[in-house]
Amino acid sequence: MTASLLEIRNLAVRFTTGDGPVYAVNDLDLQVRRGEVLGMVGESGSGKSQTWLAIMGLLAKNGRAEGSVRLGGEEILNLPQRALTRLRGARMAMIFQDPMTAMNPFLTVGRQMTEVLEWHRGMSRREARARCIGALESVHIADAAQRLSMYPHEFSGGMRQRVMIATALLTEPQLLICDEPTTALDVTVQAQILALLDELRQRFGTAIVLVTHDLGVIAQLADRVIVMYAGRQVEQAEVHTLYGAYRHPYTEGLLRSVPRLDQPRSARLATIPGRPPDLARRPAGCPFEPRCAYASELCRQQMPPLVSLGEAHLRACHYDGALGPQGREA
Amino acid sequence: MSVEGRHEWYNWVPGRGAARKAETLAAAGVAGRSLWQDAWGRLRRNRAALASLWVLGVITLAAIVLPWVWPYGYAQPDWNLMYHAPTWAGWHIFGTDALGRDLFVRVMWGCRISLMVGVVATLVTLVIGVTWGAVAGFIGGWLDGLMMRCVDILYSIPFIPFVIVLMVLFGRNLLLIFAAIGAVSWLDIARIVRGQTLSLRKREFIEAARASGVGTATIIRRHIVPNLLGIVLVYVTLTIPSVILFEAFLSFLGLGVQAPLTSLGGLVSDGASVLQVYPYMLVIPAVFLAVIVYCFNFIGDGLRDALDPKDR
Amino acid sequence: MSEPALLEVRALDVHFPVRGPGLLPSRLTLRAIDQVSFDVRAGEVLGVVGESGCGKSTLSRALLKLIPATAGSVRLRGVELTTLPKAAMRPLRRSMQMIFQDPLASLDPRMTVGEIIAEPLKALLPGMERAEREQRVLRTMQHVGLLPAQINRYPHEFSGGQAQRIGIARALVVQPQLVVCDEPVSALDVSIKSQIINLLLDLRAEHGLTYIFVAHDLATVRHIADRVMVLYLGRVMEITDRDALYARPLHPYTRLLLSAVPIPDPALARRVGPTREELPSPLALPSGCAFRTRCPLADARCVAERPVLREIDGRYVACHHAEAAAA
Ligand SMILES: Nc1ncnc2c1ncn2[C@@H]1O[C@H](COP(=O)(O)OP(=O)(O)OP(=O)(O)O)[C@@H](O)[C@H]1O
Ligand code: SF4
Ligand code: SF4
Ligand SMILES: [Mg+2]
């Protein structure tokens, strides 16, 4: 058995729409190791969410996933609904950007939490309650016992996200998938939630997948990072490598467009010109080519393969020269 | 070509594109279109709705024109030809009824009356209901309270006894039927519209319009009403048939239009009583009634889709 | 101060009546904006920051009279707005426009881009010829980076960043002087966010615009604002020139906000220890300083006495211990 908890091979997600197929995720290969935090970053529509929804078996009705996903060696992609339900919650859990939509507004928080334990663990209501109080305390919610009898709308956004995390952790999953867990929150609350995730990872050894479009967030927590563009993985590296020695023009663009406080203010913010491509079309060449400052004729004609640069650093790009201002002028 | 060049419109920086400005404006040759123009284009591409429009048009035209040229009147009895099955002889193509009156001309009259009742009553309903609901919902506050209490009070009046009393007092009269039906069914739509308006009012684009200096009446007309159309049209497609059927029910009670004039509802109820002996008396007007109701449904669906820009 | 400010806000209060809990609800007052005073000078960008629920949107809307002010004064070029009747307000709206947070929600889904952008023109310049109006719309679309051919599209056909350009065009089409931007980039992805910020900066340079730019994170505001106002629970905590604020934040709340901005560098990433403090309920504000429940410097004086906004080295801070913090 390897150290990897989740192995994804050749994952493809496709949606059938009125205007033909939409290729949301293509040829995705990746692993999540036990206890690590894997960051996944990319612009809106780059297929980050659909990857994990497919793995959780939560795709929209018009979506189909192909390939192979193994959790602890066992194939889990496209399992029957029943087996999936058991798997979700018990071995992997997912939390979303908007915690309100993931909660039933008519049930108390306690009811929603105890239900999980009664269902997955066959606990009695009493037992489950005690566990839930413990879980809420572990995500630093004060007066946990009283809070259990409150309804979701009585919580602030940050607290709701804490409750979601507590609920996800009730069944002690090996893998916690967080899809933009802090995008809807204030920076202050975001910092708290990130710190909480870090603490939980250390305490319980849960592997965490952190999906976000903000490289600032990834830097706080992730051990390894995957950069997605147009449904493809374009770069993968250990976190310090990625920020210090990225090798893909898109990663560079993303990094440069984050407004930062630790550097002198520039008159103009760097941007990536243009916008992400239409996923209904499949270009022959590199999907980033229309926005890339380093593009050449080759890029237009041939899709760059994902190749290893050594030391667990992968990237998909034809350009071999230096990145950064010098590279661009050359 | 440089990256900059390929994306110049997108990364357009004031000044940089000045030279191209005039050229692009001219070349584009674009004229603004509105939702209504787009909607008409989309409606024309919807086969079911288009076919329904045609069918309904033909029925309406026939109902208006044919009684004029037909050799029989709707109230003209022929004591020798009672309950005669459809025949080409003497142009009684739909047969005759208990008094030997020509069924075809009566069906045409019936269509005319039913369509009139349906459309006029629904229009009355719509105008009063949408305005009332939209104003109450949008302005809110005490006015909303007052307007909705009026609705509640009107609701509490038992409708059928009310109509019967009216009929007895004023005699049977088409206008009265419109008024009575319209006066009652606008209550539902006012409530639906008010609820929708309340939620629309909080939407950001309404606030944006206010920030742009748009007045209340214009906001209701330009933003609220078009965004209510979806639900209102669904309601209308349900109301026209139900009004037609309601008139049929009144006819059944003997409270419909004054005999010898008739409506499709009246004809169906006449036919129903002799169904086993003379089935054509029921089948023919029932088919017309059904076709009309279906046509309205298709048109309503088509309109709703056409008016929703998301539905391409 | 010789040059009069473009916008002068003095002791502005915006209160909302709310029903309390329980069977016999008492009437409570939510002080969304509490004694806020500031100036906006012509041509500058005033950044407004604070966590959600701090009254940023309420303030924007009150400035534009989209919600009524409870007390206080808002003067645009010397004209008092709070008491102005509706009809007299309309011509002033030409000089004051707004850009909204949610690009899609702020566009009527049943109107075409052309109609949306033309709407303020129709309302505020009713005498304008149709042809001229159309030219004006097309020109503005080009200014914000939209293609003329997109004039007949509907909002849902645009991505968030594109939709926000439509919102910007709508605000600019009447050539206002002051544009209130209520979190115009918060809902956008990083790369699109910087495109929009650059666009706003370019438009300002070209048209000499003045912005009030609301955001919840200080990193974004740093790129666009000349001065920054920090709000907390409806009160002003600090108003300071940009460079001074980022170099040496005086108010403890400003420092909290600054420390929460994630830095995209794993070597520098600071992991803020988990704090439990939530915003206090706006219905039951703490006595004295509103920030005292979360403030590391809070003492008895902060409980007893509400700090007023006072000047320290040319900056305005509402904190009893601002000097201590600065040291
Ligand atoms: N039900 C669906 N039918 C058709 N296309 C879909 C459907 N759901 C998602 N897509 C498409 O799949 C692509 C990838 O979407 P995904 O949600 O994974 O992006 P993302 O990277 O998570 O973006 P965001 O940052 O906005 O959350 C998008 O182009 C999206 O439009
Ligand atoms: S392959 Fe070419 S176009 Fe694609 S990212 Fe690399 S240099 Fe740019
Ligand atoms: S007044 Fe006191 S509580 Fe308020 S910010 Fe200053 S030190 Fe903190
Ligand atoms: Mg997503």
Side-chain angles (χ1 to χ4, degrees):
Chain A
M1 202 160 147
T2 55
S4 74
L5 173 65
L6 188 79
E7 286 233 21
I8 303 178
R9 291 256 161 276
N10 270 323
L11 181 70
V13 177
R14 179 170 318 159
F15 292 96
T16 332
T17 70
D19 307 326
V22 169
Y23 304 92
V25 178
N26 305 293
D27 311 323
L28 187 67
D29 281 316
L30 63 87
Q31 308 173 357
V32 185
R33 308 202 181 111
R34 287 177 200 281
E36 79 166 341
V37 177
L38 176 70
M40 185 181 258
V41 66
E43 279 168 287
S44 182
S46 58
K48 305 174 304 256
S49 302
Q50 301 311 325
T51 302
W52 301 104
L53 289 174
I55 291 167
M56 293 291 287
L58 295 172
L59 280 182
K61 283 212 177 60
N62 61 343
R64 273 199 44 193
E66 279 162 26
S68 143
V69 177
R70 291 169 175 275
L71 180 69
E74 184 191 335
E75 179 63 47
I76 58 163
L77 193 66
N78 300 325
L79 279 183
Q81 202 54 44
R82 208 110 171 258
L84 264 175
T85 317
R86 200 155 346 107
L87 198 69
R88 290 199 291 256
R91 296 182 59 194
M92 48 186 202
M94 187 160 174
I95 59 175
F96 300 91
Q97 170 169 347
D98 183 359
M100 195 65 193
T101 52
M103 291 180 160
N104 182 340
F106 300 110
L107 291 182
T108 61
V109 164
R111 192 78 207 85
Q112 300 184 45
M113 289 182 73
T114 50
E115 217 158 49
V116 174
L117 286 173
E118 286 165 42
W119 163 254
H120 282 290
R121 291 279 190 270
M123 283 188 186
S124 71
R125 182 77 62 90
R126 275 279 279 296
E127 249 178 308
R129 229 186 120 77
R131 278 286 287 282
C132 292
I133 293 176
L136 286 183
E137 275 164 359
S138 73
V139 295
H140 307 292
I141 286 183
D143 312 323
Q146 284 96 294
R147 294 283 182 182
L148 278 182
S149 51
M150 287 166 71
Y151 289 88
H153 73 264
E154 298 176 78
F155 289 74
S156 69
M159 288 234 267
R160 252 179 252 146
Q161 198 59 285
R162 282 167 199 264
V163 172
M164 285 315 296
I165 295 173
T167 312
L169 291 177
L170 280 176
T171 51
E172 294 162 8
Q174 293 156 303
L175 179 64
L176 178 64
I177 301 163
C178 308
D179 187 5
E180 308 264 5
T182 59
T183 304
L185 306 175
D186 279 326
V187 272
T188 47
V189 185
Q190 164 170 295
Q192 293 168 13
I193 297 286
L194 292 178
L196 173 67
L197 286 175
D198 194 33
E199 184 192 324
L200 295 174
R201 176 256 295 254
Q202 280 165 19
R203 242 169 80 191
F204 303 114
T206 317
I208 295 178
V209 172
L210 183 64
V211 178
T212 167
H213 67 259
D214 189 343
L215 276 168
V217 169
I218 297 259
Q220 310 297 305
L221 207 58
D223 302 313
R224 275 189 319 132
V225 186
I226 287 173
V227 182
M228 297 280 288
Y229 186 76
R232 294 175 183 279
Q233 181 174 188
V234 296
E235 186 160 13
Q236 179 184 132
E238 192 266 327
V239 69
H240 291 278
T241 318
L242 191 95
Y243 286 81
Y246 52 81
R247 297 285 291 124
H248 196 282
Y250 180 61
T251 312
E252 176 186 54
L254 277 183
L255 260 172
R256 280 160 43 94
S257 52
V258 185
R260 340 181 26 150
L261 282 177
D262 60 323
Q263 281 174 4
R265 175 179 175 275
S266 56
R268 278 181 83 76
L269 275 166
T271 70
I272 308 174
R275 56 171 158 161
D278 179 358
L279 294 178
R281 268 179 243 138
R282 297 225 274 185
C286 172
F288 188 55
E289 181 270 328
R291 307 172 71 186
C292 181
Y294 306 94
S296 64
E297 196 49 43
L298 180 64
C299 307
R300 214 153 303 158
Q301 288 159 4
Q302 219 178 73
M303 176 83 71
L306 191 71
V307 292
S308 168
L309 304 174
E311 298 212 17
H313 191 171
L314 301 166
R315 69 141 191 187
C317 176
H318 293 307
Y319 179 74
D320 264 332
L323 295 174
Q326 330 82 286
R328 206 183 316 260
E329 271 143 32
Chain B
M1 218 195 309
S2 74
V3 189
E4 300 276 77
R6 261 179 293 140
H7 301 288
E8 58 192 346
W9 70 264
Y10 195 89
N11 269 346
W12 196 82
V13 175
R16 207 190 287 166
R20 285 185 64 241
K21 224 184 257 178
E23 177 203 339
T24 335
L25 286 186
V30 281
R33 262 186 287 135
S34 71
L35 178 68
W36 304 101
Q37 287 161 315
D38 277 350
W40 175 233
R42 276 196 290 264
L43 188 66
R44 272 195 312 201
R45 269 180 272 129
N46 180 332
R47 291 236 191 96
L50 203 62
S52 301
L53 268 179
W54 276 107
V55 171
L56 212 55
V58 168
I59 292 181
T60 312
L61 205 69
I64 293 170
V65 174
L66 288 184
W68 290 80
V69 299
W70 207 248
Y72 306 98
Y74 68 88
Q76 188 183 331
D78 184 342
W79 306 108
N80 300 319
L81 271 179
M82 296 186 293
Y83 287 133
H84 197 291
T87 166
W88 288 109
W91 287 97
H92 290 302
I93 52 172
F94 284 179
T96 60
D97 71 359
L99 303 177
R101 295 176 295 198
D102 180 55
L103 192 60
F104 180 79
V105 79
R106 287 181 67 74
V107 167
M108 286 302 120
W109 268 99
C111 287
R112 196 194 267 195
I113 300 292
S114 289
L115 282 172
M116 232 156 60
V117 173
V119 172
V120 175
T122 304
L123 277 182
V124 170
T125 304
L126 211 60
V127 171
I128 305 181
V130 171
T131 318
W132 197 272
V135 169
F138 189 74
I139 295 179
W142 63 268
L143 189 66
D144 180 27
L146 186 74
M147 288 172 89
M148 290 333 276
R149 286 303 81 71
C150 290
V151 169
D152 292 344
I153 291 169
L154 289 177
Y155 250 119
S156 63
I157 299 174
F159 177 51
I160 292 178
F162 170 70
V163 172
I164 294 174
V165 169
L166 281 183
M167 298 279 177
V168 173
L169 283 181
F170 298 103
R172 290 206 224 157
N173 168 337
L174 262 188
L175 257 179
L176 201 64
I177 296 177
F178 296 155
I181 295 178
V184 170
S185 35
W186 72 266
L187 299 175
D188 290 326
I189 203 154
R191 282 205 166 160
I192 296 173
V193 164
R194 171 179 171 270
Q196 285 285 310
T197 310
L198 276 179
S199 71
L200 277 175
R201 185 173 67 155
K202 293 194 202 87
R203 300 271 293 274
E204 223 167 39
F205 65 83
I206 300 293
E207 206 157 35
R210 288 209 291 136
S212 303
V214 183
T216 304
T218 315
I219 289 184
I220 292 183
R221 184 165 47 78
R222 202 184 284 156
H223 296 283
I224 300 281
V225 172
N227 279 290
L228 290 171
L229 280 176
I231 189 146
V232 166
L233 280 171
V234 174
Y235 188 81
V236 166
T237 55
L238 296 174
T239 306
I240 294 188
S242 83
V243 168
I244 291 177
L245 295 176
F246 182 73
E247 190 279 334
F249 168 72
L250 281 183
S251 300
F252 207 81
L253 291 184
L255 292 169
V257 287
Q258 180 84 53
L261 198 57
T262 189
S263 66
L264 283 180
L267 289 170
V268 168
S269 81
D270 289 350
S273 54
V274 292
L275 168 65
Q276 306 204 321
V277 216
Y278 309 110
Y280 70 92
M281 287 277 292
L282 174 67
V283 172
I284 293 171
V287 165
F288 271 83
L289 190 60
V291 167
I292 289 175
V293 169
Y294 268 111
C295 284
F296 275 116
N297 271 324
F298 283 129
I299 294 171
D301 273 1
L303 268 177
R304 190 193 51 210
D305 293 347
L307 284 166
D308 183 356
K310 286 201 191 92
D311 204 82
R312 276 263 145 136
Chain C
M1 291 240 204
S2 51
E3 196 191 338
L6 175 64
L7 189 78
E8 286 176 346
V9 180
R10 290 290 171 270
L12 187 68
D13 276 345
V14 182
H15 297 173
F16 297 112
V18 282
R19 287 159 56 100
L23 278 179
L24 289 171
S26 51
R27 283 190 147 254
L28 298 174
T29 302
L30 191 153
R31 295 167 195 276
I33 290 294
D34 191 2
Q35 296 288 308
V36 167
S37 305
F38 62 95
D39 283 349
V40 185
R41 301 171 205 137
E44 79 168 343
V45 179
L46 176 71
V48 178
V49 273
E51 289 160 288
S52 67
C54 280
K56 302 181 303 264
S57 296
T58 310
L59 177 65
S60 318
R61 282 161 175 72
L63 295 181
L64 282 143
K65 275 192 82 153
L66 295 176
I67 44 182
T70 311
S73 119
V74 177
R75 277 202 294 272
L76 180 72
R77 273 186 262 112
V79 182
E80 177 61 55
L81 300 184
T82 50
T83 52
L84 210 61
K86 228 181 183 174
M89 181 67 199
R90 195 164 296 175
L92 285 177
R93 289 202 184 278
R94 267 184 65 190
S95 15
M96 237 182 150
Q97 286 285 312
M98 178 150 174
I99 301 172
F100 292 82
Q101 170 168 7
D102 186 338
L104 277 173
S106 63
L107 305 175
D108 188 333
R110 287 172 197 263
M111 278 170 110
T112 60
V113 171
E115 289 178 293
I116 290 171
I117 301 176
E119 178 154 60
L121 286 177
K122 286 187 194 158
L124 300 173
L125 298 165
M128 191 181 263
E129 300 270 320
R130 194 196 152 97
E132 195 194 335
R133 193 163 60 216
E134 212 138 85
Q135 279 305 306
R136 193 77 172 252
V137 168
L138 283 169
R139 218 173 324 125
T140 315
M141 283 178 69
Q142 265 200 330
H143 276 237
V144 301
L146 292 165
L147 284 174
Q150 294 171 317
I151 193 168
N152 289 323
R153 302 271 195 91
Y154 290 90
H156 70 92
E157 298 172 52
F158 293 83
S159 65
Q162 293 285 85
Q164 196 54 290
R165 287 172 196 263
I166 302 173
I168 295 175
R170 170 176 57 193
L172 296 189
V173 74
V174 290
Q175 302 180 334
Q177 256 188 307
L178 174 67
V179 183
V180 179
C181 315
D182 182 17
E183 303 216 34
V185 295
S186 299
L188 306 177
D189 260 20
V190 261
S191 66
I192 309 296
K193 189 188 276 193
S194 34
Q195 286 178 0
I196 296 291
I197 289 185
N198 285 343
L199 172 69
L200 287 170
L201 285 170
D202 291 339
L203 290 167
R204 163 166 97 127
E206 199 189 26
H207 302 289
L209 294 169
T210 306
Y211 295 136
I212 294 178
F213 187 94
V214 179
H216 64 244
D217 86 289
L218 277 162
T220 310
V221 164
R222 178 168 175 237
H223 276 274
I224 190 162
D226 301 313
R227 279 193 309 142
V228 180
M229 173 161 88
V230 181
L231 280 184
Y232 183 70
L233 292 174
R235 301 179 185 177
V236 178
M237 297 287 118
E238 177 161 9
I239 306 181
T240 304
D241 286 346
R242 177 195 60 223
D243 293 334
L245 181 103
Y246 288 92
R248 202 167 59 104
L250 285 191
H251 200 283
Y253 182 56
T254 315
R255 280 206 298 274
L256 174 71
L257 286 180
L258 277 171
S259 72
V261 174
I263 288 180
D265 183 344
L268 295 177
R270 296 140 306 172
R271 289 171 184 173
V272 182
T275 40
R276 289 185 199 186
E277 296 92 30
E278 292 265 334
L279 245 67
S281 158
L283 287 172
L285 289 183
S287 66
C289 176
F291 187 57
R292 71 171 163 81
T293 52
R294 298 166 75 189
C295 180
L297 300 179
D299 63 9
R301 182 163 174 223
C302 306
V303 178
E305 189 186 332
R306 175 170 169 180
V308 292
L309 200 65
R310 64 205 166 96
E311 193 178 340
I312 302 173
D313 310 338
R315 15 199 315 184
Y316 294 85
V317 187
C319 172
H320 296 308
H321 303 299
E323 286 87 350

